[in-house]
């Protein structure tokens, strides 16, 4: 008697994000891209694995597991170690993403050279798919990143790169970048969803089986997210974002995901002509150096990760020559600045409706924390009245639509930081717990509304 075979179903996959569906659609249901869903072939009938053939390593009690093999090893790049939680972990796979030209290759080449040439030299393999070995050597000479234990390989074929790993057995592998490697066994060009998935899976398998730390460089999309399938971020152990303005030397490294340490640390780097260096105390980088007070400037303290940073907000107002006044921002969220302009006009009586407003930060830093709202408002009020704020003063606090100044986290930590930098006055939001211990010689004034802050900082001029 003939048995009926189940008809194999055709599947369709999005070439951008890897989303699959049983029928063809014109628009991806995951990433909403048009025209990217393509037929991938037939699915085999699902079976069920009932038993393993052999056990490679028997299970053991968790207390008997040797954790010494997963200890941190410093890279001797101070800010990189800070973000990673202490350094590199053997067998860990780290993905570093950032825009082109931000300095990803320079940072990893410097770290690779320091790992290879440290007190206890280790073998490091740097696989480049975007440049030739000679080009990497020129950059290494420029930033003084040379070491006898650092090996270069210009490969774009995954099997060739794995052969280099097999022959050299490095303790650290750097792949620049994961989107340039391709496997000949997978259809599609390098950088496609299938290729990136295969390359990442092969490199992760090699890293885990060899206990080899692996650093992967990843590209970003126009929206700033990591290119390739989201599966890539789930497979790796650490995901870091390297960001900064191309017109500024300051670069920030953030950990988006970290299985071995915190995800709220931020590393600061200075990208120079001769390389990249760690900046352990970046507070002074985002403050202008004017000899006399200038109207329209106010200092604030923002917390990036666990690190309080001193930043300066500048505002410039001019009477508009058009019916629609201009609103321009740099380093700040434009929609939030527009909200603060409305609050100032409605709740504090500052006439700004007919003024062109330009608000910017100093040093190319981007301020996203709501704690800088009070500094933005005071800078705008200072520019509107053409009266500079007192010297050695900082302001921070979140402002609501009702004009209230709301408490922010880490008030005492911010005060301690600005006191260390030589400031003597602070205007902070009132909180039930208070500002905490105040340093000697430091004055703190608590406010509850933006109008109260203006009365404090801009008292009426004597008649």
């Amino acid at each position: 008697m003939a048995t009926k075979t189940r008809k194999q179903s055709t599947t369709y996959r999005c070439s951008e994000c890897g989303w699959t569906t049983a029928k063809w659609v014109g628009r991806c249901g995951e990433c909403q891209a048009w025209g990217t869903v393509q037929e991938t072939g037939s699915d085999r009938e699902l079976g069920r694995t009932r038993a393993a053939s052999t056990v490679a390593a028997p299970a053991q009690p968790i207390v008997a597991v040797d954790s010494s093999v997963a200890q941190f090893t410093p890279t001797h790049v101070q800010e990189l170690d800070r973000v990673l939680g202490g350094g590199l972990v053997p067998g860990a796979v780290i993905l570093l993403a950032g825009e082109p030209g931000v300095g990803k290759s320079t940072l990893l080449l410097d770290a690779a050279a320091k790992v290879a040439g440290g007190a206890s030299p280790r073998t490091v393999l740097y696989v480049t798919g975007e440049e030739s070995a000679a080009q990497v050597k020129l950059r290494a000479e420029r930033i003084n990143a040379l070491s006898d234990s650092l090996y270069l390989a210009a490969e774009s074929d995954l099997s060739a790169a794995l052969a280099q790993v097999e022959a050299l057995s490095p303790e650290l592998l750097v792949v620049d970048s994961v989107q340039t490697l391709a496997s000949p066994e997978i259809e599609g060009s390098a950088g496609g969803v299938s290729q990136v998935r295969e390359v990442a899976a092969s490199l992760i398998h090699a890293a885990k089986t060899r206990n080899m730390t692996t650093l992967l460089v990843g590209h970003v999309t126009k929206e700033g997210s990591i290119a390739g399938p989201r599966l890539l971020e789930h497979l790796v152990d650490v995901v870091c974002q390297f960001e900064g303005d191309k017109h500024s030397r300051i670069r920030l490294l953030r950990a988006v995901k970290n299985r071995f340490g915190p995800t709220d640390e931020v590393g600061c780097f200075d990208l120079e002509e001769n390389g990249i260096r760690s900046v352990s105390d970046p507070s002074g980088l985002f403050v202008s150096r004017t000899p006399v007070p200038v109207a329209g400037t106010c200092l604030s303290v923002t917390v990036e990760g666990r690190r309080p940073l001193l930043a300066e907000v500048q505002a410039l107002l001019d009477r508009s020559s058009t019916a629609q006044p201009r609103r321009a921002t740099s380093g700040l969220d434009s929609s939030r600045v527009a909200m603060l302009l409305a609050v100032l006009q409605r709740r504090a009586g500052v006439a700004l409706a007919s003024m062109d407003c330009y608000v910017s930060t100093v040093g190319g830093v981007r301020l996203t924390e709501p704690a800088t709202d009070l500094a933005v408002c005071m800078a705008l009020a200072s520019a509107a009245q053409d009266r500079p704020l007192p010297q050695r003063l900082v302001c921070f606090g979140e402002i609501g639509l009702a004009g209230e100044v709301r408490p922010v986290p880490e008030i005492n930590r911010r005060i301690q930081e600005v006191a260390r930098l030589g400031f003597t006055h602070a205007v902070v939001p009132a909180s039930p717990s208070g500002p905490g211990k105040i340093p000697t010689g430091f004055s703190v004034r608590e406010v509850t509304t933006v109008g109260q802050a203006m009365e404090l900082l801009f008292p009426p001029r004597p008649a």
Side-chain angles (χ1 to χ4, degrees):
M1 180 177 178
T3 58
K4 295 182 179 180
T5 58
R6 220 191 301 178
K7 184 179 179 180
Q8 294 180 336
S9 60
T10 303
T11 58
Y12 299 85
R13 176 180 288 117
C14 174
S15 60
E16 293 292 330
C17 66
W19 177 73
T20 59
T21 179
K23 63 179 181 178
W24 182 87
V25 291
R27 189 177 187 179
C28 174
E30 180 70 22
C31 66
Q32 305 301 317
W34 289 93
T36 59
V37 178
Q38 301 173 355
E39 183 178 351
T40 58
S42 300
D43 289 336
R44 292 182 300 177
E45 291 188 20
L46 296 178
R48 193 177 287 180
T49 303
R50 302 188 180 277
S53 57
T54 57
V55 176
Q60 55 181 324
I62 189 171
V63 294
V65 177
D66 184 13
S67 61
S68 61
V69 297
Q71 297 297 324
F72 288 104
T73 302
T75 64
H76 306 292
V77 180
Q78 181 180 355
E79 293 299 291
L80 179 60
D81 291 340
R82 178 191 184 102
V83 174
L84 295 179
L88 302 176
V89 175
V93 180
I94 303 167
L95 175 64
L96 177 65
E99 295 182 355
V102 76
K104 305 182 297 296
S105 301
T106 302
L107 173 62
L108 293 187
L109 184 59
D110 181 60
K114 290 183 177 179
V115 170
S120 55
R122 292 183 291 166
T123 304
V124 179
L125 174 60
Y126 191 102
V127 178
T128 174
E130 300 179 345
E131 301 174 282
S132 65
Q135 291 174 325
V136 177
K137 170 72 179 301
L138 288 176
R139 186 169 71 249
E141 290 177 342
R142 177 172 55 85
I143 67 176
N144 193 23
L146 299 174
S147 175
D148 293 337
S149 299
L150 176 59
Y151 294 82
L152 296 178
E155 301 287 355
S156 59
D157 185 85
L158 175 62
S159 57
L162 294 176
Q164 295 278 6
V165 172
E166 183 75 25
L168 196 61
S169 297
E171 298 175 73
L172 172 63
L173 171 66
V174 181
V175 178
D176 186 10
S177 64
V178 68
Q179 277 89 1
T180 59
L181 289 182
S183 173
E185 300 178 1
I186 303 297
E187 295 183 359
S189 59
V193 174
S194 301
Q195 287 288 355
V196 171
R197 184 184 292 110
E198 175 66 19
V199 169
S202 300
L203 293 176
I204 291 172
H205 179 266
K208 301 302 181 182
T209 55
R210 294 175 172 274
N211 215 25
M212 171 185 65
T213 307
T214 303
L215 293 169
L216 306 178
V217 176
H219 296 164
V220 296
T221 61
K222 294 180 180 179
E223 293 77 18
S225 59
I226 301 175
R230 295 301 301 268
L231 179 66
L232 179 61
E233 299 180 45
H234 293 289
L235 290 176
V236 299
D237 300 306
V238 183
V239 179
C240 293
Q241 286 274 8
F242 201 44
E243 56 193 38
D245 189 355
K246 293 182 180 179
H247 304 289
S248 174
R249 291 169 36 179
I250 303 303
R251 300 290 187 266
L252 296 179
L253 180 66
R254 306 175 188 270
V256 181
K257 169 188 175 182
N258 193 350
R259 289 174 177 167
F260 313 111
T263 57
D264 56 356
E265 282 288 3
V266 176
C268 189
F269 297 88
D270 186 7
L271 187 62
E272 302 174 335
E273 293 182 0
N274 298 326
I276 190 168
R277 67 178 182 89
S278 298
V279 181
S280 58
D281 191 7
S283 293
L285 298 176
F286 311 121
V287 179
S288 62
R289 297 285 187 259
T290 54
V292 294
V294 179
T297 65
C298 185
L299 295 174
S300 183
V301 187
T302 179
V303 176
E304 293 287 347
R306 300 181 180 181
R307 169 181 289 176
L309 297 177
L310 187 68
E312 181 176 344
V313 179
Q314 295 183 339
L316 178 63
L317 302 178
D318 191 18
R319 187 166 298 278
S320 178
S321 58
T322 62
Q324 185 70 27
R326 185 174 182 182
R327 304 287 189 257
T329 61
S330 176
L332 295 161
D333 184 19
S334 58
S335 60
R336 191 158 191 89
V337 172
M339 182 199 75
L340 296 176
L341 288 170
V343 171
L344 269 180
Q345 176 150 338
R346 183 68 176 173
R347 306 298 182 186
V350 181
L352 299 172
S354 60
M355 307 291 288
D356 289 335
C357 301
Y358 304 89
V359 187
S360 175
T361 58
V362 173
V365 64
R366 179 162 185 82
L367 302 179
T368 58
E369 191 187 14
T372 58
D373 289 351
L374 186 58
V376 174
C377 286
M378 294 303 101
L380 288 167
S382 173
Q385 301 188 21
D386 198 21
R387 296 173 63 180
L389 291 167
Q391 289 185 301
R392 301 184 182 279
L393 168 76
V394 296
C395 302
F396 57 87
E398 181 184 357
I399 294 180
L401 292 178
E404 77 278 13
V405 182
R406 301 172 181 171
V408 296
E410 307 281 357
I411 292 181
N412 186 259
R413 190 173 184 181
R414 300 173 200 255
I415 293 175
Q416 297 292 338
E417 175 67 12
V418 297
R420 181 185 68 83
L421 296 173
F423 291 82
T424 57
H425 299 79
V427 178
V428 305
S431 64
S433 59
K437 184 178 180 181
I438 306 301
T440 304
F442 196 88
S443 174
V444 175
R445 298 294 298 270
E446 294 183 290
V447 295
T448 57
T449 64
V450 64
Q452 184 181 354
M454 288 194 59
E455 292 176 0
L456 176 66
L457 297 177
F458 305 102
R461 290 187 173 122

